[in-house]
Coordinates of all heavy atoms in Angstrom, one line a residue:
M1 N -21.4 1.1 -2.6 CA -20.8 0.9 -4.0 C -19.5 1.6 -4.0 O -19.3 2.8 -3.6 CB -21.7 1.5 -5.0 CG -21.1 1.4 -6.4 SD -21.9 2.3 -7.7 CE -23.6 2.5 -7.2
H2 N -18.5 1.0 -4.5 CA -17.1 1.5 -4.6 C -17.0 2.3 -6.0 O -17.6 1.8 -7.0 CB -16.1 0.5 -4.6 CG -16.0 -0.2 -3.2 ND1 -15.4 0.4 -2.1 CD2 -16.4 -1.4 -2.8 CE1 -15.5 -0.4 -1.1 NE2 -16.1 -1.5 -1.5
L3 N -16.3 3.4 -6.0 CA -16.1 4.2 -7.2 C -14.6 4.0 -7.6 O -13.7 3.9 -6.7 CB -16.4 5.6 -6.9 CG -17.8 5.9 -6.6 CD1 -18.0 7.4 -6.3 CD2 -18.8 5.6 -7.7
I4 N -14.4 4.0 -8.8 CA -13.0 4.0 -9.4 C -12.8 5.3 -10.3 O -13.7 5.5 -11.1 CB -12.7 2.7 -10.2 CG1 -12.7 1.5 -9.3 CG2 -11.4 2.8 -11.0 CD1 -12.5 0.2 -10.0
P5 N -11.8 6.0 -10.0 CA -11.6 7.3 -10.8 C -11.0 7.0 -12.1 O -9.7 6.9 -12.2 CB -10.7 8.2 -9.9 CG -9.9 7.2 -9.1 CD -10.8 6.0 -8.9
C6 N -11.7 6.8 -13.1 CA -11.1 6.5 -14.5 C -10.5 7.9 -14.9 O -11.1 9.0 -14.9 CB -12.2 6.2 -15.5 SG -11.6 6.0 -17.2
P7 N -9.2 7.9 -15.4 CA -8.6 9.1 -15.9 C -9.3 9.7 -17.1 O -9.1 10.9 -17.4 CB -7.1 8.7 -16.1 CG -7.1 7.2 -16.1 CD -8.3 6.7 -15.5
Y8 N -10.1 9.0 -17.8 CA -10.8 9.5 -19.0 C -12.2 9.8 -18.7 O -12.8 10.7 -19.4 CB -10.7 8.4 -20.1 CG -9.3 7.9 -20.3 CD1 -8.8 6.7 -19.9 CD2 -8.3 8.8 -21.0 CE1 -7.6 6.3 -20.1 CE2 -7.0 8.4 -21.2 CZ -6.7 7.1 -20.7 OH -5.4 6.7 -20.9
C9 N -12.9 9.1 -17.8 CA -14.3 9.3 -17.6 C -14.7 9.9 -16.2 O -15.8 10.3 -16.0 CB -15.0 8.0 -17.6 SG -14.7 7.0 -19.1
G10 N -13.7 10.0 -15.3 CA -14.0 10.5 -14.0 C -14.5 9.4 -13.1 O -14.3 8.2 -13.3
Q11 N -15.1 9.7 -11.9 CA -15.6 8.7 -10.9 C -16.7 7.8 -11.5 O -17.7 8.4 -11.9 CB -16.1 9.4 -9.7 CG -15.0 10.2 -8.9 CD -14.2 9.3 -8.0 OE1 -14.5 8.1 -7.9 NE2 -13.2 9.9 -7.4
R12 N -16.5 6.6 -11.5 CA -17.4 5.6 -12.1 C -17.6 4.5 -11.2 O -16.7 4.1 -10.4 CB -17.0 5.1 -13.5 CG -16.7 6.2 -14.5 CD -17.9 7.1 -14.8 NE -19.0 6.2 -15.3 CZ -20.3 6.7 -15.4 NH1 -20.6 7.9 -15.1 NH2 -21.2 5.9 -15.9
P13 N -18.8 3.8 -11.2 CA -19.0 2.6 -10.3 C -18.1 1.5 -10.6 O -17.8 1.3 -11.8 CB -20.5 2.3 -10.6 CG -21.1 3.4 -11.3 CD -20.0 4.2 -12.0
Q14 N -17.6 0.8 -9.6 CA -16.7 -0.3 -9.8 C -17.2 -1.4 -10.7 O -16.5 -2.1 -11.4 CB -16.3 -0.8 -8.4 CG -15.3 -1.9 -8.4 CD -15.9 -3.3 -8.1 OE1 -16.6 -3.3 -7.1 NE2 -15.6 -4.3 -8.9
D15 N -18.6 -1.5 -10.7 CA -19.1 -2.7 -11.6 C -19.0 -2.3 -13.1 O -19.4 -3.2 -13.9 CB -20.5 -3.1 -11.2 CG -21.5 -1.9 -11.2 OD1 -21.1 -0.8 -11.7 OD2 -22.7 -2.1 -10.8
E16 N -18.5 -1.2 -13.5 CA -18.2 -0.9 -14.9 C -16.8 -1.4 -15.3 O -16.4 -1.3 -16.5 CB -18.3 0.6 -15.2 CG -19.7 1.2 -15.1 CD -19.7 2.7 -15.5 OE1 -18.7 3.2 -15.9 OE2 -20.8 3.3 -15.4
F17 N -16.1 -1.9 -14.3 CA -14.7 -2.3 -14.6 C -14.5 -3.8 -14.3 O -15.2 -4.4 -13.5 CB -13.7 -1.5 -13.6 CG -13.8 0.0 -13.7 CD1 -14.7 0.7 -13.2 CD2 -12.7 0.6 -14.4 CE1 -14.7 2.1 -13.3 CE2 -12.7 1.9 -14.6 CZ -13.7 2.7 -14.0
H18 N -13.5 -4.3 -15.0 CA -13.0 -5.7 -14.7 C -11.6 -5.6 -14.2 O -10.8 -4.9 -14.8 CB -13.0 -6.6 -15.9 CG -14.4 -7.1 -16.3 ND1 -14.7 -7.3 -17.6 CD2 -15.4 -7.4 -15.5 CE1 -16.0 -7.7 -17.6 NE2 -16.4 -7.8 -16.4
Y19 N -11.2 -6.3 -13.1 CA -9.9 -6.4 -12.7 C -9.1 -7.2 -13.7 O -9.6 -8.3 -14.2 CB -9.9 -7.1 -11.3 CG -8.5 -7.4 -10.8 CD1 -7.7 -6.5 -10.3 CD2 -8.0 -8.8 -10.8 CE1 -6.4 -6.7 -9.8 CE2 -6.7 -9.0 -10.4 CZ -6.0 -8.0 -9.9 OH -4.7 -8.3 -9.4
R20 N -7.9 -6.8 -14.0 CA -7.1 -7.4 -15.1 C -5.7 -7.8 -14.6 O -4.9 -8.3 -15.4 CB -7.0 -6.6 -16.3 CG -8.4 -6.5 -17.1 CD -8.7 -7.9 -17.5 NE -10.0 -8.0 -18.3 CZ -10.8 -9.0 -18.3 NH1 -10.5 -10.0 -17.6 NH2 -11.8 -9.0 -19.0
G21 N -5.4 -7.6 -13.3 CA -4.1 -8.2 -12.9 C -3.2 -7.2 -12.3 O -3.5 -6.0 -12.1
D22 N -2.0 -7.7 -11.9 CA -1.0 -7.0 -11.2 C -0.2 -6.1 -12.1 O 0.2 -6.5 -13.2 CB 0.0 -8.1 -10.6 CG 1.1 -7.5 -9.7 OD1 1.3 -6.3 -9.8 OD2 1.7 -8.3 -9.0
A23 N -0.2 -4.8 -11.8 CA 0.4 -3.8 -12.7 C 1.9 -3.6 -12.3 O 2.5 -2.7 -12.9 CB -0.4 -2.5 -12.7
T24 N 2.4 -4.3 -11.4 CA 3.8 -4.2 -11.0 C 4.8 -5.1 -11.6 O 6.0 -5.0 -11.5 CB 3.9 -4.3 -9.4 OG1 3.6 -5.7 -9.1 CG2 3.0 -3.4 -8.7
V25 N 4.2 -6.1 -12.4 CA 5.1 -7.1 -13.0 C 5.8 -6.5 -14.2 O 5.1 -5.9 -15.0 CB 4.2 -8.3 -13.4 CG1 5.0 -9.4 -14.1 CG2 3.5 -8.9 -12.2
K26 N 7.1 -6.7 -14.3 CA 7.9 -6.2 -15.4 C 8.4 -7.4 -16.3 O 8.8 -8.4 -15.7 CB 9.1 -5.5 -14.9 CG 8.7 -4.3 -14.0 CD 8.1 -3.2 -14.8 CE 7.9 -1.9 -14.0 NZ 6.5 -1.4 -14.1
R27 N 8.3 -7.3 -17.5 CA 8.7 -8.3 -18.4 C 10.2 -8.5 -18.3 O 11.0 -7.5 -18.4 CB 8.4 -8.0 -19.9 CG 8.7 -9.1 -20.9 CD 8.3 -8.7 -22.3 NE 8.6 -9.7 -23.2 CZ 7.8 -10.7 -23.6 NH1 6.6 -10.7 -23.2 NH2 8.2 -11.6 -24.5
P28 N 10.8 -9.7 -18.2 CA 12.2 -9.9 -18.1 C 12.9 -9.7 -19.4 O 12.3 -9.7 -20.5 CB 12.4 -11.3 -17.6 CG 11.1 -12.0 -17.7 CD 10.0 -10.9 -17.9
A29 N 14.2 -9.5 -19.4 CA 15.0 -9.5 -20.6 C 14.9 -10.7 -21.4 O 14.6 -11.8 -20.8 CB 16.5 -9.2 -20.2
P30 N 15.0 -10.7 -22.7 CA 14.8 -11.9 -23.6 C 15.7 -13.0 -23.2 O 15.4 -14.2 -23.4 CB 15.1 -11.4 -25.0 CG 14.9 -9.9 -24.9 CD 15.2 -9.5 -23.5
D31 N 16.9 -12.8 -22.6 CA 17.8 -13.8 -22.3 C 17.8 -14.1 -20.8 O 18.7 -14.7 -20.2 CB 19.2 -13.4 -22.7 CG 19.7 -12.1 -22.1 OD1 18.9 -11.4 -21.4 OD2 20.9 -11.8 -22.2
A32 N 16.7 -13.7 -20.1 CA 16.7 -13.9 -18.6 C 16.5 -15.3 -18.1 O 16.8 -15.6 -17.0 CB 15.5 -13.1 -18.1
G33 N 16.1 -16.2 -19.0 CA 16.0 -17.6 -18.6 C 14.6 -18.1 -18.3 O 13.7 -17.3 -18.1
E34 N 14.4 -19.4 -18.3 CA 13.1 -20.0 -18.1 C 12.4 -19.6 -16.8 O 11.2 -19.3 -16.7 CB 13.2 -21.5 -18.3 CG 11.9 -22.2 -18.3 CD 12.0 -23.7 -18.5 OE1 13.0 -24.1 -19.2 OE2 11.1 -24.5 -18.1
Q35 N 13.2 -19.7 -15.7 CA 12.6 -19.4 -14.3 C 12.1 -18.0 -14.3 O 11.0 -17.7 -13.8 CB 13.6 -19.6 -13.2 CG 13.0 -19.5 -11.9 CD 11.9 -20.5 -11.6 OE1 12.0 -21.7 -11.9 NE2 10.7 -20.0 -11.1
A36 N 12.8 -17.0 -14.9 CA 12.3 -15.6 -14.9 C 11.1 -15.5 -15.7 O 10.1 -14.7 -15.2 CB 13.4 -14.7 -15.5
F37 N 10.9 -16.2 -16.8 CA 9.7 -16.1 -17.5 C 8.5 -16.9 -16.8 O 7.4 -16.5 -17.0 CB 9.9 -16.6 -19.0 CG 10.4 -15.5 -19.8 CD1 11.8 -15.4 -20.0 CD2 9.6 -14.6 -20.4 CE1 12.3 -14.3 -20.8 CE2 10.1 -13.5 -21.2 CZ 11.5 -13.4 -21.4
Y38 N 8.8 -18.0 -16.2 CA 7.8 -18.7 -15.4 C 7.3 -17.7 -14.3 O 6.0 -17.6 -14.2 CB 8.4 -19.9 -14.7 CG 7.4 -20.6 -13.9 CD1 6.6 -21.6 -14.4 CD2 7.3 -20.4 -12.5 CE1 5.7 -22.3 -13.7 CE2 6.4 -21.0 -11.8 CZ 5.6 -22.0 -12.3 OH 4.6 -22.6 -11.6
D39 N 8.2 -17.0 -13.6 CA 7.7 -16.1 -12.6 C 6.9 -15.0 -13.2 O 5.9 -14.5 -12.6 CB 8.9 -15.6 -11.8 CG 9.5 -16.6 -10.9 OD1 8.9 -17.7 -10.6 OD2 10.7 -16.4 -10.5
Y40 N 7.3 -14.5 -14.3 CA 6.6 -13.4 -15.0 C 5.2 -13.8 -15.4 O 4.3 -13.0 -15.2 CB 7.4 -13.0 -16.3 CG 6.7 -12.0 -17.2 CD1 6.5 -10.7 -16.8 CD2 6.3 -12.4 -18.5 CE1 5.8 -9.8 -17.6 CE2 5.7 -11.5 -19.3 CZ 5.4 -10.2 -18.9 OH 4.8 -9.4 -19.7
V41 N 5.0 -15.0 -15.8 CA 3.7 -15.4 -16.2 C 2.8 -15.9 -15.0 O 1.6 -15.6 -15.0 CB 3.8 -16.5 -17.3 CG1 2.4 -17.1 -17.6 CG2 4.5 -16.0 -18.5
Y42 N 3.4 -16.7 -14.1 CA 2.6 -17.4 -13.1 C 2.7 -16.9 -11.7 O 1.8 -17.1 -10.9 CB 2.9 -18.9 -13.1 CG 2.6 -19.5 -14.5 CD1 3.6 -20.0 -15.3 CD2 1.3 -19.7 -14.8 CE1 3.3 -20.5 -16.5 CE2 1.0 -20.3 -16.0 CZ 1.9 -20.7 -16.9 OH 1.6 -21.3 -18.1
T43 N 3.9 -16.4 -11.2 CA 4.0 -16.1 -9.8 C 3.6 -14.7 -9.5 O 4.0 -13.7 -10.2 CB 5.6 -16.2 -9.5 OG1 6.0 -17.5 -9.9 CG2 5.8 -16.0 -8.0
R44 N 2.7 -14.6 -8.5 CA 2.2 -13.3 -8.1 C 2.2 -13.2 -6.6 O 2.1 -14.1 -5.9 CB 0.7 -13.1 -8.5 CG 0.5 -13.1 -10.0 CD 1.1 -11.8 -10.6 NE 1.0 -11.8 -12.1 CZ 1.9 -12.2 -13.0 NH1 3.0 -12.7 -12.5 NH2 1.7 -12.1 -14.2
E45 N 2.4 -11.9 -6.1 CA 2.3 -11.6 -4.7 C 0.9 -11.6 -4.3 O 0.0 -11.5 -5.2 CB 3.0 -10.2 -4.4 CG 4.5 -10.2 -4.8 CD 5.3 -11.0 -3.8 OE1 4.9 -11.1 -2.6 OE2 6.3 -11.6 -4.3
N46 N 0.6 -11.6 -3.0 CA -0.8 -11.5 -2.5 C -0.8 -10.4 -1.5 O -0.9 -10.7 -0.3 CB -1.3 -12.8 -2.0 CG -2.8 -12.7 -1.7 OD1 -3.5 -11.8 -2.1 ND2 -3.2 -13.6 -0.9
P47 N -0.6 -9.1 -2.0 CA -0.3 -8.0 -1.0 C -1.5 -7.7 -0.1 O -2.6 -7.8 -0.5 CB 0.2 -6.9 -1.9 CG -0.6 -7.1 -3.1 CD -0.7 -8.6 -3.3
R48 N -1.1 -7.3 1.1 CA -2.1 -6.8 2.1 C -1.8 -5.3 2.2 O -0.8 -4.8 2.7 CB -1.9 -7.4 3.4 CG -2.9 -7.0 4.4 CD -2.7 -7.7 5.7 NE -3.7 -7.4 6.7 CZ -3.7 -7.6 7.9 NH1 -2.6 -8.2 8.4 NH2 -4.7 -7.3 8.7
G49 N -2.8 -4.5 1.6 CA -2.6 -3.0 1.7 C -2.6 -2.4 0.2 O -3.3 -3.0 -0.6
W50 N -1.8 -1.4 0.0 CA -1.8 -0.8 -1.3 C -1.2 -1.6 -2.3 O -0.1 -2.2 -2.1 CB -1.1 0.6 -1.2 CG -1.8 1.5 -0.3 CD1 -1.5 1.9 0.9 CD2 -3.0 2.2 -0.6 NE1 -2.4 2.8 1.4 CE2 -3.4 2.9 0.5 CE3 -3.9 2.2 -1.7 CZ2 -4.6 3.7 0.6 CZ3 -5.0 3.0 -1.7 CH2 -5.3 3.7 -0.6
H51 N -1.8 -1.7 -3.5 CA -1.3 -2.5 -4.6 C -1.7 -1.8 -5.9 O -2.8 -1.2 -6.1 CB -2.0 -3.8 -4.6 CG -1.5 -4.9 -5.5 ND1 -2.2 -5.5 -6.4 CD2 -0.2 -5.3 -5.7 CE1 -1.4 -6.3 -7.1 NE2 -0.2 -6.2 -6.7
D52 N -0.8 -1.9 -6.9 CA -1.0 -1.3 -8.2 C -1.6 -2.4 -9.1 O -1.0 -3.4 -9.3 CB 0.3 -0.7 -8.8 CG 0.8 0.5 -8.0 OD1 0.1 1.0 -7.1 OD2 1.9 0.9 -8.3
E53 N -2.7 -2.1 -9.7 CA -3.4 -3.1 -10.5 C -3.9 -2.6 -11.9 O -4.1 -1.4 -12.0 CB -4.7 -3.5 -9.7 CG -4.4 -4.0 -8.3 CD -5.6 -4.1 -7.4 OE1 -6.6 -3.4 -7.6 OE2 -5.6 -5.0 -6.6
W54 N -4.1 -3.5 -12.8 CA -4.7 -3.2 -14.1 C -6.2 -3.4 -14.0 O -6.7 -4.3 -13.4 CB -4.2 -4.1 -15.2 CG -2.8 -3.8 -15.7 CD1 -1.7 -4.6 -15.4 CD2 -2.4 -2.7 -16.4 NE1 -0.6 -4.1 -16.1 CE2 -1.0 -2.9 -16.6 CE3 -3.0 -1.6 -17.0 CZ2 -0.2 -2.0 -17.4 CZ3 -2.2 -0.7 -17.7 CH2 -0.9 -0.9 -17.9
W55 N -6.9 -2.4 -14.4 CA -8.4 -2.5 -14.5 C -8.8 -2.1 -15.9 O -8.2 -1.2 -16.5 CB -9.1 -1.6 -13.5 CG -9.0 -2.1 -12.1 CD1 -7.9 -2.1 -11.3 CD2 -10.0 -2.7 -11.3 NE1 -8.2 -2.6 -10.1 CE2 -9.5 -3.1 -10.1 CE3 -11.3 -3.1 -11.6 CZ2 -10.2 -3.7 -9.1 CZ3 -12.1 -3.7 -10.6 CH2 -11.5 -4.0 -9.4
H56 N -9.9 -2.8 -16.5 CA -10.4 -2.5 -17.8 C -11.8 -1.8 -17.6 O -12.7 -2.4 -17.0 CB -10.5 -3.8 -18.6 CG -11.1 -3.6 -19.9 ND1 -12.0 -4.5 -20.5 CD2 -10.9 -2.6 -20.9 CE1 -12.3 -4.1 -21.7 NE2 -11.7 -3.0 -21.9
H57 N -11.9 -0.6 -18.1 CA -13.2 0.1 -18.1 C -14.1 -0.4 -19.2 O -14.4 0.3 -20.2 CB -13.0 1.6 -18.1 CG -14.2 2.4 -17.6 ND1 -14.3 3.7 -17.7 CD2 -15.4 1.9 -17.2 CE1 -15.4 4.1 -17.2 NE2 -16.1 3.0 -16.9
Y58 N -14.6 -1.7 -19.1 CA -15.3 -2.3 -20.2 C -16.7 -1.6 -20.5 O -17.1 -1.7 -21.6 CB -15.4 -3.8 -20.0 CG -16.5 -4.1 -19.0 CD1 -17.8 -4.4 -19.3 CD2 -16.3 -4.1 -17.6 CE1 -18.8 -4.7 -18.4 CE2 -17.2 -4.3 -16.7 CZ -18.5 -4.7 -17.1 OH -19.5 -4.9 -16.2
A59 N -17.3 -1.1 -19.5 CA -18.6 -0.5 -19.7 C -18.6 1.0 -19.8 O -19.6 1.7 -19.7 CB -19.6 -0.9 -18.6
G60 N -17.4 1.5 -20.1 CA -17.2 3.0 -20.3 C -16.4 3.2 -21.5 O -16.8 2.9 -22.6
C61 N -15.1 3.8 -21.3 CA -14.3 4.2 -22.4 C -13.5 3.0 -23.0 O -12.8 3.1 -24.0 CB -13.3 5.2 -21.9 SG -12.2 4.7 -20.6
R62 N -13.6 1.8 -22.3 CA -13.0 0.6 -22.8 C -11.5 0.6 -22.7 O -10.8 -0.2 -23.4 CB -13.5 0.2 -24.1 CG -15.0 0.0 -24.2 CD -15.5 -0.6 -25.5 NE -14.9 -1.9 -25.7 CZ -15.5 -3.1 -25.2 NH1 -16.4 -2.9 -24.3 NH2 -14.9 -4.2 -25.4
Q63 N -10.9 1.6 -22.0 CA -9.5 1.7 -21.8 C -9.0 0.8 -20.7 O -9.8 0.6 -19.7 CB -9.1 3.1 -21.5 CG -9.3 4.1 -22.6 CD -8.3 3.9 -23.7 OE1 -7.1 3.7 -23.5 NE2 -8.8 3.9 -24.9
W64 N -7.8 0.3 -20.7 CA -7.1 -0.3 -19.6 C -6.5 0.8 -18.8 O -5.9 1.7 -19.4 CB -6.1 -1.2 -20.1 CG -6.6 -2.6 -20.5 CD1 -7.5 -2.8 -21.5 CD2 -6.2 -3.9 -20.1 NE1 -7.8 -4.1 -21.7 CE2 -6.9 -4.8 -20.8 CE3 -5.3 -4.3 -19.2 CZ2 -6.8 -6.2 -20.7 CZ3 -5.1 -5.7 -19.0 CH2 -5.9 -6.6 -19.8
I65 N -6.6 0.8 -17.5 CA -6.0 1.8 -16.6 C -5.3 1.2 -15.5 O -5.6 0.0 -15.2 CB -7.1 2.8 -16.1 CG1 -8.1 2.1 -15.2 CG2 -7.8 3.5 -17.2 CD1 -9.1 3.0 -14.4
K66 N -4.4 1.9 -14.9 CA -3.7 1.5 -13.6 C -4.4 2.1 -12.5 O -4.8 3.3 -12.5 CB -2.3 1.9 -13.6 CG -1.4 1.3 -14.7 CD 0.0 1.9 -14.5 CE 0.7 1.7 -15.8 NZ 2.0 2.5 -15.8
V67 N -4.7 1.3 -11.4 CA -5.3 1.8 -10.2 C -4.5 1.4 -9.0 O -4.1 0.3 -8.9 CB -6.8 1.2 -10.1 CG1 -7.4 1.6 -8.8 CG2 -7.6 1.7 -11.3
R68 N -4.3 2.3 -8.1 CA -3.7 1.9 -6.8 C -4.8 1.8 -5.8 O -5.5 2.7 -5.4 CB -2.7 3.1 -6.3 CG -2.1 2.7 -5.0 CD -0.8 3.5 -4.7 NE 0.2 3.1 -5.6 CZ 1.1 4.0 -6.1 NH1 1.1 5.2 -5.6 NH2 2.0 3.7 -6.9
R69 N -5.0 0.5 -5.4 CA -6.1 0.1 -4.5 C -5.6 -0.5 -3.3 O -4.7 -1.3 -3.3 CB -7.0 -0.9 -5.3 CG -8.3 -1.3 -4.6 CD -9.1 -2.2 -5.4 NE -8.5 -3.5 -5.6 CZ -8.6 -4.5 -4.8 NH1 -9.5 -4.4 -3.8 NH2 -8.0 -5.6 -5.1
N70 N -6.3 -0.3 -2.2 CA -6.0 -0.9 -0.9 C -6.8 -2.2 -0.9 O -8.0 -2.2 -0.9 CB -6.3 0.0 0.3 CG -5.8 -0.6 1.5 OD1 -6.0 -1.7 1.9 ND2 -5.1 0.3 2.3
T71 N -6.0 -3.3 -0.8 CA -6.7 -4.7 -0.8 C -7.4 -5.0 0.4 O -8.3 -5.9 0.5 CB -5.7 -5.8 -1.1 OG1 -4.7 -5.8 -0.1 CG2 -5.0 -5.6 -2.5
L72 N -7.2 -4.2 1.5 CA -8.0 -4.4 2.7 C -9.3 -3.6 2.7 O -10.3 -4.2 3.2 CB -7.1 -4.0 3.9 CG -6.0 -4.9 4.3 CD1 -5.2 -4.3 5.5 CD2 -6.5 -6.3 4.7
T73 N -9.2 -2.4 2.3 CA -10.3 -1.5 2.4 C -11.1 -1.2 1.1 O -12.1 -0.6 1.1 CB -9.9 -0.1 3.0 OG1 -9.0 0.5 2.1 CG2 -9.2 -0.3 4.4
H74 N -10.4 -1.6 0.0 CA -10.9 -1.3 -1.3 C -10.9 0.2 -1.6 O -11.5 0.7 -2.6 CB -12.3 -1.9 -1.6 CG -12.3 -3.3 -1.5 ND1 -11.7 -4.2 -2.4 CD2 -12.9 -4.1 -0.5 CE1 -11.9 -5.5 -2.0 NE2 -12.7 -5.4 -0.9
A75 N -10.2 1.0 -0.8 CA -10.0 2.4 -1.1 C -9.1 2.6 -2.3 O -8.2 1.8 -2.5 CB -9.4 3.1 0.1
V76 N -9.4 3.6 -3.1 CA -8.6 3.9 -4.3 C -7.8 5.2 -4.1 O -8.4 6.2 -3.8 CB -9.4 3.9 -5.6 CG1 -8.6 4.3 -6.8 CG2 -10.0 2.5 -5.8
A77 N -6.5 5.2 -4.2 CA -5.7 6.3 -3.9 C -5.4 7.1 -5.2 O -5.2 8.3 -5.2 CB -4.4 5.9 -3.2
A78 N -5.2 6.4 -6.3 CA -4.8 7.1 -7.6 C -5.2 6.2 -8.8 O -5.4 4.9 -8.6 CB -3.3 7.3 -7.5
S79 N -5.2 6.8 -9.9 CA -5.4 6.0 -11.2 C -4.6 6.7 -12.3 O -4.3 7.9 -12.1 CB -6.8 5.9 -11.6 OG -7.4 7.1 -11.9
A80 N -4.3 6.0 -13.3 CA -3.5 6.7 -14.4 C -3.7 5.9 -15.7 O -4.2 4.7 -15.6 CB -2.0 6.6 -14.1
G81 N -3.5 6.5 -16.8 CA -3.6 5.8 -18.1 C -2.4 4.8 -18.2 O -1.5 4.7 -17.4
P82 N -2.6 3.9 -19.2 CA -1.6 2.8 -19.3 C -0.2 3.2 -19.5 O 0.8 2.5 -19.0 CB -2.1 2.0 -20.5 CG -3.1 2.8 -21.2 CD -3.6 3.8 -20.2
A83 N 0.1 4.3 -20.1 CA 1.5 4.7 -20.3 C 2.0 5.7 -19.2 O 3.1 6.2 -19.3 CB 1.6 5.4 -21.7
D84 N 1.1 6.1 -18.3 CA 1.4 7.0 -17.3 C 1.8 6.3 -15.9 O 1.2 5.2 -15.7 CB 0.2 8.0 -17.0 CG -0.2 8.7 -18.3 OD1 0.7 9.1 -19.1 OD2 -1.4 8.9 -18.5
A85 N 2.6 7.0 -15.2 CA 3.0 6.4 -13.9 C 2.1 6.8 -12.8 O 1.5 7.9 -12.7 CB 4.4 6.8 -13.6
L86 N 1.8 5.9 -11.8 CA 1.1 6.2 -10.6 C 2.1 7.0 -9.7 O 3.3 6.9 -9.9 CB 0.6 5.0 -9.9 CG -0.5 4.2 -10.6 CD1 -0.7 2.8 -10.1 CD2 -1.8 5.0 -10.5
P87 N 1.6 7.7 -8.8 CA 2.5 8.4 -7.8 C 3.5 7.5 -7.1 O 3.2 6.3 -6.9 CB 1.5 9.1 -6.8 CG 0.2 9.1 -7.5 CD 0.2 7.9 -8.4
E88 N 4.6 8.0 -6.8 CA 5.6 7.1 -6.2 C 5.2 6.5 -4.9 O 5.4 5.3 -4.6 CB 6.9 8.0 -5.9 CG 7.8 8.3 -7.1 CD 8.3 7.0 -7.7 OE1 8.8 6.1 -6.9 OE2 8.3 6.8 -8.9
A89 N 4.5 7.2 -4.0 CA 4.1 6.7 -2.7 C 2.7 7.1 -2.3 O 2.2 8.1 -2.8 CB 5.1 7.2 -1.7
T90 N 2.1 6.2 -1.5 CA 0.7 6.5 -1.0 C 0.8 6.6 0.5 O 1.4 5.7 1.1 CB -0.2 5.4 -1.5 OG1 -0.3 5.4 -2.9 CG2 -1.6 5.6 -1.0
P91 N 0.3 7.6 1.1 CA 0.4 7.8 2.5 C -0.4 6.7 3.3 O -1.3 6.0 2.8 CB -0.3 9.2 2.8 CG -0.9 9.6 1.6 CD -0.4 8.8 0.4
Ligands
ZN101 ZN1 -13.2 5.3 -18.6

């Protein structure tokens, strides 16, 4: 069983969480154009390795959190609240 370190609840089983998407996507400026908004809504990378993701702790504190997870090993390097930044780099 994989554990996810919720910043509010501590280490919790992964089945208490739902994956909610890519946490690296930034909303474009209002005048950025149709293609920029299309990419913002629909276009996603499929990274191999470390990736910053949104997870929802639906069976715990019900907070959305950011998690840095390795997509190959499912190892979790860091987590943070929605307004907090993850560390700059992961070894
Ligand atoms: Zn929690």
Side-chain angles (χ1 to χ4, degrees):
M1 176 191 337
H2 293 283
L3 298 175
I4 293 178
C6 176
Y8 308 105
C9 308
Q11 295 279 355
R12 304 297 303 166
Q14 181 251 312
D15 59 5
E16 291 186 3
F17 296 82
H18 284 147
Y19 173 76
R20 287 301 183 207
D22 186 341
T24 65
V25 179
K26 302 288 185 231
R27 185 182 178 89
D31 59 351
E34 186 175 334
Q35 185 61 48
F37 276 93
Y38 178 89
D39 290 340
Y40 171 66
V41 173
Y42 295 111
T43 306
R44 294 293 179 266
E45 298 291 324
N46 188 17
R48 180 178 187 194
W50 293 107
H51 189 235
D52 294 349
E53 303 170 330
W54 285 111
W55 285 77
H56 179 219
H57 196 183
Y58 76 94
C61 61
R62 304 188 62 78
Q63 293 288 316
W64 283 53
I65 63 171
K66 294 179 204 168
V67 175
R68 181 163 294 149
R69 184 179 68 91
N70 190 308
T71 59
L72 288 175
T73 65
H74 301 291
V76 174
S79 65
D84 301 325
L86 289 165
E88 282 295 317
T90 298

